[in-house]
Amino acid sequence: MPKAIAAAAAEAHSSLRVGNIQAAVLMARTTVEATAKAKGITSGNLVAKIDALYAQHLIYEHVRDAAHEVRFAGNDAAHGDLVDDPINTEEAESIVELMDMLLEGVFIAPAKTAAQAAARQARKNTTTVSANGTAAGSP
């Protein structure tokens, strides 16, 4: 995961821990948009960027929906009337969890899968028996 995105996600979590609810939600939204941009999706509004992540098969449908929920909450925090209907702690916790779901789908799961495939291939390469009966890589 790009360092700037990891830092934004960490800021969302740390804001939540200290009770800065609006800041946590805004950083979660920022993280969603930065994730799309990191995948080369730079045109359009955030709705279009999230939908493009899905259209490019970078996320599943439920993760797309999660990203939209982060967007909705982030938009409310940025543009809403905070005096009449502020977001509560439980809702903010959910929003940050949904942000994490997006990060898992876009960055973490693919990296873990690639690492596992590389480890499997490395094991296969070291145990492949050559025509003369020695393992590959043996003297």
Side-chain angles (χ1 to χ4, degrees), residues 15 49 62 68 102 114 120 126 137:
S15 294
K49 288 176 179 133
H62 69 281
H68 280 303
L102 175 72
R120 178 181 41 79
T126 60

Side-chain angles (χ1 to χ4, degrees), residues 87-130:
I87 192 168
N88 63 42
T89 301
E90 294 78 25
E91 198 173 359
E93 289 170 349
S94 178
I95 293 303
V96 172
E97 288 173 8
L98 294 175
M99 171 200 72
D100 288 341
M101 187 185 303
L102 175 72
L103 296 176
E104 176 73 28
V106 173
F107 297 114
I108 298 167
K112 286 180 180 179
T113 302
Q116 182 58 42
R120 178 181 41 79
Q121 189 60 46
R123 277 192 315 278
K124 183 178 176 182
N125 290 344
T126 60
T127 59
T128 301
V129 178
S130 66

Side-chain angles (χ1 to χ4, degrees), residues 36-125:
K37 289 179 178 180
K39 290 299 180 177
I41 301 167
T42 58
S43 16
N45 59 19
L46 188 52
V47 172
K49 288 176 179 133
I50 292 168
D51 289 345
L53 284 169
Y54 176 70
Q56 293 179 22
H57 305 289
L58 296 169
I59 56 176
Y60 291 111
E61 183 176 7
H62 69 281
V63 177
R64 178 198 63 197
D65 296 344
H68 280 303
E69 288 302 320
V70 174
R71 177 182 60 81
F72 291 135
N75 288 349
D76 287 348
H79 305 293
D81 184 355
L82 302 179
V83 176
D84 290 339
D85 193 18
I87 192 168
N88 63 42
T89 301
E90 294 78 25
E91 198 173 359
E93 289 170 349
S94 178
I95 293 303
V96 172
E97 288 173 8
L98 294 175
M99 171 200 72
D100 288 341
M101 187 185 303
L102 175 72
L103 296 176
E104 176 73 28
V106 173
F107 297 114
I108 298 167
K112 286 180 180 179
T113 302
Q116 182 58 42
R120 178 181 41 79
Q121 189 60 46
R123 277 192 315 278
K124 183 178 176 182
N125 290 344

